[in-house]
Amino acid sequence: ELRDHGYATVGVISGKFLSATYRLNQGFQHYNDDESIKAAYGITSAGVTRRALDLARQAGGGNRPLFLFVHYFDPHYNYLNHVEIDFAPPAAGRLTGMEDIHELRRMSEDMSQEETDFLRACYDEEIRFTDAAIGDLLRGLEGQGITADNTLMVLTSDHGEEFLERGWIGHTRTLYEELLRVPLVMVGPKSLWGAGRMIAAPVSTVAIMPTILDGLGMDVGELEFHAASLMPLARGVGSDLEAQLLGEVDFEPMMEDNAVKTTFKKALITAEYKLIRDDRSGALELYNLTDDPHEKKNLVDQEPGRAAELSLLLTEMLGPLRRGTPSADDVQLDRQQIEDLRSLGYVGSGGEKETGRDRD
């Protein structure tokens, strides 16, 4: 959409699921996925920053506005130990910070608290390491005249991670807050929202696109969105209490030995409650996020009426989203692409099948 409104469009990514193989480069005039070669085992943040600054410099010359999408993959398994940050010890128990996700899951049944704490500390080191790379990016962009005084900047994430809170390491299986509650920070000219504000109510990442277009004052014609712009909330003229958000995880493994990850779950999140529905079993979970933010007490038996009401609302909200959804062609994967996905934990650790489909 921005390209069609005269923007130079640049994407720099480091996760293999975002590579041009999966056609996510549509609309980008420059799309660099060179760093994705190293994604699981390598350290990519510095390279992503360097490539983003180079491409921004090349694409943003003259008076042409710029859209820059920069994707950092390092805060993700494998959870590498960055010794220069020193949140984690050099090793703990059986762990050194070099284990892949399959090794960690095999160890998870008898993983000690010391080992779990070590994984969390390594994850925190990766977040801190990437935070520093984003700082380098922002300083580099400022050197090119791209600042918060003339640019809308958005920082967000696609998911969090589980560290055995519920017996699992990583993601793709559940819809609890440790996975769904992610940062969303928007910084831009004061003309957009005055002094700015903190919004405590839950909002959807689906709202990011309409928010950006709204903030840019762009006429988007016949475009339809599944979430409203957050600009009224940011300006203090919208209600924080109207949230009805959807979350879902559908995961169909490509390999039979990864069947443990088969998941079809939907969630409805309001300002106070979350309902999670398992579409295979029909089981419901209901949590009061105000009183129980860590989702330890399932209220389905205590509040069956509320659970039934929210389940019906979830079905109603999903209906329009399912109708008219365009079908996508399957992407045929070669042996190397299968191995790449296996290294990220999205494919089983055995088997030789070379084509298939995952969706998450």
PDB file of all heavy atoms in Angstrom, residues 154-174:
ATOM      1  N   VAL A 154       7.752   2.108  14.959  1.00  0.00           N
ATOM      2  CA  VAL A 154       6.950   1.102  15.652  1.00  0.00           C
ATOM      3  C   VAL A 154       7.853  -0.066  16.027  1.00  0.00           C
ATOM      4  O   VAL A 154       8.567  -0.606  15.179  1.00  0.00           O
ATOM      5  CB  VAL A 154       5.794   0.592  14.769  1.00  0.00           C
ATOM      6  CG1 VAL A 154       4.969  -0.454  15.513  1.00  0.00           C
ATOM      7  CG2 VAL A 154       4.926   1.741  14.292  1.00  0.00           C
ATOM      8  N   LEU A 155       7.811  -0.459  17.297  1.00  0.00           N
ATOM      9  CA  LEU A 155       8.548  -1.627  17.773  1.00  0.00           C
ATOM     10  C   LEU A 155       7.555  -2.641  18.307  1.00  0.00           C
ATOM     11  O   LEU A 155       6.727  -2.323  19.173  1.00  0.00           O
ATOM     12  CB  LEU A 155       9.514  -1.236  18.895  1.00  0.00           C
ATOM     13  CG  LEU A 155      10.201  -2.401  19.630  1.00  0.00           C
ATOM     14  CD1 LEU A 155      11.237  -3.063  18.736  1.00  0.00           C
ATOM     15  CD2 LEU A 155      10.840  -1.926  20.922  1.00  0.00           C
ATOM     16  N   THR A 156       7.618  -3.872  17.802  1.00  0.00           N
ATOM     17  CA  THR A 156       6.728  -4.915  18.301  1.00  0.00           C
ATOM     18  C   THR A 156       7.394  -6.265  18.117  1.00  0.00           C
ATOM     19  O   THR A 156       8.531  -6.368  17.672  1.00  0.00           O
ATOM     20  CB  THR A 156       5.359  -4.865  17.592  1.00  0.00           C
ATOM     21  OG1 THR A 156       4.432  -5.696  18.295  1.00  0.00           O
ATOM     22  CG2 THR A 156       5.464  -5.302  16.139  1.00  0.00           C
ATOM     23  N   SER A 157       6.674  -7.319  18.485  1.00  0.00           N
ATOM     24  CA  SER A 157       7.189  -8.683  18.396  1.00  0.00           C
ATOM     25  C   SER A 157       6.052  -9.606  17.997  1.00  0.00           C
ATOM     26  O   SER A 157       4.880  -9.284  18.197  1.00  0.00           O
ATOM     27  CB  SER A 157       7.769  -9.105  19.746  1.00  0.00           C
ATOM     28  OG  SER A 157       8.197 -10.454  19.719  1.00  0.00           O
ATOM     29  N   ASP A 158       6.399 -10.766  17.446  1.00  0.00           N
ATOM     30  CA  ASP A 158       5.344 -11.686  17.015  1.00  0.00           C
ATOM     31  C   ASP A 158       4.913 -12.645  18.117  1.00  0.00           C
ATOM     32  O   ASP A 158       3.791 -13.138  18.112  1.00  0.00           O
ATOM     33  CB  ASP A 158       5.753 -12.467  15.763  1.00  0.00           C
ATOM     34  CG  ASP A 158       7.042 -13.257  15.949  1.00  0.00           C
ATOM     35  OD1 ASP A 158       7.833 -12.905  16.827  1.00  0.00           O
ATOM     36  OD2 ASP A 158       7.260 -14.220  15.185  1.00  0.00           O
ATOM     37  N   HIS A 159       5.781 -12.935  19.089  1.00  0.00           N
ATOM     38  CA  HIS A 159       5.389 -13.838  20.169  1.00  0.00           C
ATOM     39  C   HIS A 159       6.437 -13.805  21.267  1.00  0.00           C
ATOM     40  O   HIS A 159       7.562 -13.338  21.073  1.00  0.00           O
ATOM     41  CB  HIS A 159       5.217 -15.281  19.663  1.00  0.00           C
ATOM     42  CG  HIS A 159       6.469 -15.867  19.063  1.00  0.00           C
ATOM     43  ND1 HIS A 159       7.527 -16.307  19.838  1.00  0.00           N
ATOM     44  CD2 HIS A 159       6.839 -16.080  17.773  1.00  0.00           C
ATOM     45  CE1 HIS A 159       8.482 -16.775  19.051  1.00  0.00           C
ATOM     46  NE2 HIS A 159       8.098 -16.629  17.798  1.00  0.00           N
ATOM     47  N   GLY A 160       6.063 -14.311  22.428  1.00  0.00           N
ATOM     48  CA  GLY A 160       7.022 -14.549  23.493  1.00  0.00           C
ATOM     49  C   GLY A 160       7.425 -16.011  23.513  1.00  0.00           C
ATOM     50  O   GLY A 160       7.206 -16.745  22.548  1.00  0.00           O
ATOM     51  N   GLU A 161       7.995 -16.448  24.628  1.00  0.00           N
ATOM     52  CA  GLU A 161       8.465 -17.820  24.757  1.00  0.00           C
ATOM     53  C   GLU A 161       7.988 -18.425  26.065  1.00  0.00           C
ATOM     54  O   GLU A 161       7.797 -17.727  27.065  1.00  0.00           O
ATOM     55  CB  GLU A 161      10.007 -17.871  24.742  1.00  0.00           C
ATOM     56  CG  GLU A 161      10.642 -17.416  23.433  1.00  0.00           C
ATOM     57  CD  GLU A 161      10.546 -18.452  22.324  1.00  0.00           C
ATOM     58  OE1 GLU A 161       9.442 -18.596  21.750  1.00  0.00           O
ATOM     59  OE2 GLU A 161      11.561 -19.095  22.007  1.00  0.00           O
ATOM     60  N   GLU A 162       7.837 -19.730  26.065  1.00  0.00           N
ATOM     61  CA  GLU A 162       7.551 -20.489  27.280  1.00  0.00           C
ATOM     62  C   GLU A 162       8.836 -21.130  27.797  1.00  0.00           C
ATOM     63  O   GLU A 162       9.639 -21.638  27.012  1.00  0.00           O
ATOM     64  CB  GLU A 162       6.540 -21.601  27.010  1.00  0.00           C
ATOM     65  CG  GLU A 162       5.162 -21.136  26.620  1.00  0.00           C
ATOM     66  CD  GLU A 162       4.211 -22.305  26.442  1.00  0.00           C
ATOM     67  OE1 GLU A 162       4.012 -23.066  27.410  1.00  0.00           O
ATOM     68  OE2 GLU A 162       3.677 -22.470  25.331  1.00  0.00           O
ATOM     69  N   PHE A 163       9.009 -21.112  29.113  1.00  0.00           N
ATOM     70  CA  PHE A 163      10.144 -21.785  29.733  1.00  0.00           C
ATOM     71  C   PHE A 163       9.635 -22.717  30.837  1.00  0.00           C
ATOM     72  O   PHE A 163       9.852 -22.497  32.018  1.00  0.00           O
ATOM     73  CB  PHE A 163      11.139 -20.756  30.288  1.00  0.00           C
ATOM     74  CG  PHE A 163      11.865 -20.009  29.204  1.00  0.00           C
ATOM     75  CD1 PHE A 163      11.437 -18.744  28.816  1.00  0.00           C
ATOM     76  CD2 PHE A 163      12.955 -20.565  28.552  1.00  0.00           C
ATOM     77  CE1 PHE A 163      12.093 -18.051  27.803  1.00  0.00           C
ATOM     78  CE2 PHE A 163      13.607 -19.883  27.546  1.00  0.00           C
ATOM     79  CZ  PHE A 163      13.184 -18.628  27.166  1.00  0.00           C
ATOM     80  N   LEU A 164       8.903 -23.743  30.383  1.00  0.00           N
ATOM     81  CA  LEU A 164       8.395 -24.807  31.254  1.00  0.00           C
ATOM     82  C   LEU A 164       7.348 -24.326  32.259  1.00  0.00           C
ATOM     83  O   LEU A 164       7.073 -25.027  33.229  1.00  0.00           O
ATOM     84  CB  LEU A 164       9.550 -25.512  31.980  1.00  0.00           C
ATOM     85  CG  LEU A 164      10.506 -26.305  31.069  1.00  0.00           C
ATOM     86  CD1 LEU A 164      11.632 -26.903  31.878  1.00  0.00           C
ATOM     87  CD2 LEU A 164       9.748 -27.392  30.307  1.00  0.00           C
ATOM     88  N   GLU A 165       6.756 -23.143  32.031  1.00  0.00           N
ATOM     89  CA  GLU A 165       5.640 -22.747  32.896  1.00  0.00           C
ATOM     90  C   GLU A 165       4.531 -23.799  32.848  1.00  0.00           C
ATOM     91  O   GLU A 165       3.833 -24.023  33.828  1.00  0.00           O
ATOM     92  CB  GLU A 165       5.072 -21.396  32.455  1.00  0.00           C
ATOM     93  CG  GLU A 165       5.984 -20.208  32.681  1.00  0.00           C
ATOM     94  CD  GLU A 165       6.837 -19.915  31.447  1.00  0.00           C
ATOM     95  OE1 GLU A 165       6.981 -20.803  30.569  1.00  0.00           O
ATOM     96  OE2 GLU A 165       7.356 -18.789  31.374  1.00  0.00           O
ATOM     97  N   ARG A 166       4.384 -24.435  31.667  1.00  0.00           N
ATOM     98  CA  ARG A 166       3.319 -25.426  31.476  1.00  0.00           C
ATOM     99  C   ARG A 166       3.871 -26.674  30.784  1.00  0.00           C
ATOM    100  O   ARG A 166       3.155 -27.355  30.053  1.00  0.00           O
ATOM    101  CB  ARG A 166       2.174 -24.815  30.676  1.00  0.00           C
ATOM    102  CG  ARG A 166       1.658 -23.510  31.323  1.00  0.00           C
ATOM    103  CD  ARG A 166       0.783 -22.713  30.396  1.00  0.00           C
ATOM    104  NE  ARG A 166       0.787 -21.305  30.776  1.00  0.00           N
ATOM    105  CZ  ARG A 166      -0.030 -20.780  31.676  1.00  0.00           C
ATOM    106  NH1 ARG A 166      -0.896 -21.529  32.303  1.00  0.00           N
ATOM    107  NH2 ARG A 166       0.019 -19.496  31.948  1.00  0.00           N
ATOM    108  N   GLY A 167       5.172 -26.928  30.991  1.00  0.00           N
ATOM    109  CA  GLY A 167       5.777 -28.164  30.488  1.00  0.00           C
ATOM    110  C   GLY A 167       6.347 -28.086  29.088  1.00  0.00           C
ATOM    111  O   GLY A 167       6.749 -29.106  28.527  1.00  0.00           O
ATOM    112  N   TRP A 168       6.419 -26.886  28.506  1.00  0.00           N
ATOM    113  CA  TRP A 168       6.879 -26.743  27.122  1.00  0.00           C
ATOM    114  C   TRP A 168       7.962 -25.677  27.055  1.00  0.00           C
ATOM    115  O   TRP A 168       7.967 -24.730  27.847  1.00  0.00           O
ATOM    116  CB  TRP A 168       5.710 -26.368  26.220  1.00  0.00           C
ATOM    117  CG  TRP A 168       6.020 -26.314  24.747  1.00  0.00           C
ATOM    118  CD1 TRP A 168       6.122 -25.198  23.968  1.00  0.00           C
ATOM    119  CD2 TRP A 168       6.225 -27.422  23.876  1.00  0.00           C
ATOM    120  NE1 TRP A 168       6.397 -25.541  22.666  1.00  0.00           N
ATOM    121  CE2 TRP A 168       6.470 -26.910  22.573  1.00  0.00           C
ATOM    122  CE3 TRP A 168       6.243 -28.804  24.061  1.00  0.00           C
ATOM    123  CZ2 TRP A 168       6.723 -27.720  21.474  1.00  0.00           C
ATOM    124  CZ3 TRP A 168       6.497 -29.614  22.964  1.00  0.00           C
ATOM    125  CH2 TRP A 168       6.727 -29.080  21.694  1.00  0.00           C
ATOM    126  N   ILE A 169       8.875 -25.837  26.107  1.00  0.00           N
ATOM    127  CA  ILE A 169       9.894 -24.820  25.850  1.00  0.00           C
ATOM    128  C   ILE A 169       9.706 -24.291  24.436  1.00  0.00           C
ATOM    129  O   ILE A 169       9.612 -25.072  23.484  1.00  0.00           O
ATOM    130  CB  ILE A 169      11.316 -25.405  25.998  1.00  0.00           C
ATOM    131  CG1 ILE A 169      11.562 -25.864  27.431  1.00  0.00           C
ATOM    132  CG2 ILE A 169      12.369 -24.368  25.608  1.00  0.00           C
ATOM    133  CD1 ILE A 169      12.908 -26.528  27.642  1.00  0.00           C
ATOM    134  N   GLY A 170       9.645 -22.980  24.283  1.00  0.00           N
ATOM    135  CA  GLY A 170       9.501 -22.376  22.956  1.00  0.00           C
ATOM    136  C   GLY A 170       8.128 -21.766  22.768  1.00  0.00           C
ATOM    137  O   GLY A 170       7.623 -21.031  23.601  1.00  0.00           O
ATOM    138  N   HIS A 171       7.491 -22.095  21.631  1.00  0.00           N
ATOM    139  CA  HIS A 171       6.172 -21.547  21.330  1.00  0.00           C
ATOM    140  C   HIS A 171       5.466 -22.508  20.374  1.00  0.00           C
ATOM    141  O   HIS A 171       5.872 -23.651  20.263  1.00  0.00           O
ATOM    142  CB  HIS A 171       6.295 -20.141  20.724  1.00  0.00           C
ATOM    143  CG  HIS A 171       7.277 -20.035  19.600  1.00  0.00           C
ATOM    144  ND1 HIS A 171       8.621 -19.901  19.808  1.00  0.00           N
ATOM    145  CD2 HIS A 171       7.119 -20.053  18.254  1.00  0.00           C
ATOM    146  CE1 HIS A 171       9.256 -19.828  18.644  1.00  0.00           C
ATOM    147  NE2 HIS A 171       8.362 -19.930  17.693  1.00  0.00           N
ATOM    148  N   THR A 172       4.413 -22.053  19.726  1.00  0.00           N
ATOM    149  CA  THR A 172       3.589 -22.757  18.716  1.00  0.00           C
ATOM    150  C   THR A 172       2.524 -23.668  19.288  1.00  0.00           C
ATOM    151  O   THR A 172       1.739 -24.227  18.527  1.00  0.00           O
ATOM    152  CB  THR A 172       4.414 -23.593  17.696  1.00  0.00           C
ATOM    153  OG1 THR A 172       5.007 -24.729  18.357  1.00  0.00           O
ATOM    154  CG2 THR A 172       5.472 -22.776  17.007  1.00  0.00           C
ATOM    155  N   ARG A 173       2.417 -23.847  20.607  1.00  0.00           N
ATOM    156  CA  ARG A 173       1.435 -24.810  21.119  1.00  0.00           C
ATOM    157  C   ARG A 173       0.309 -24.191  21.935  1.00  0.00           C
ATOM    158  O   ARG A 173      -0.741 -24.810  22.087  1.00  0.00           O
ATOM    159  CB  ARG A 173       2.129 -25.859  21.994  1.00  0.00           C
ATOM    160  CG  ARG A 173       2.968 -26.848  21.225  1.00  0.00           C
ATOM    161  CD  ARG A 173       2.835 -28.248  21.792  1.00  0.00           C
ATOM    162  NE  ARG A 173       2.978 -28.286  23.234  1.00  0.00           N
ATOM    163  CZ  ARG A 173       2.886 -29.399  23.954  1.00  0.00           C
ATOM    164  NH1 ARG A 173       2.643 -30.538  23.357  1.00  0.00           N
ATOM    165  NH2 ARG A 173       3.029 -29.380  25.261  1.00  0.00           N
ATOM    166  N   THR A 174       0.502 -23.016  22.493  1.00  0.00           N
ATOM    167  CA  THR A 174      -0.493 -22.470  23.412  1.00  0.00           C
ATOM    168  C   THR A 174      -0.760 -20.996  23.117  1.00  0.00           C
ATOM    169  O   THR A 174      -0.111 -20.383  22.262  1.00  0.00           O
ATOM    170  CB  THR A 174      -0.031 -22.610  24.878  1.00  0.00           C
ATOM    171  OG1 THR A 174       1.077 -21.731  25.104  1.00  0.00           O
ATOM    172  CG2 THR A 174       0.385 -24.050  25.188  1.00  0.00           C
TER     173      THR A 174
END
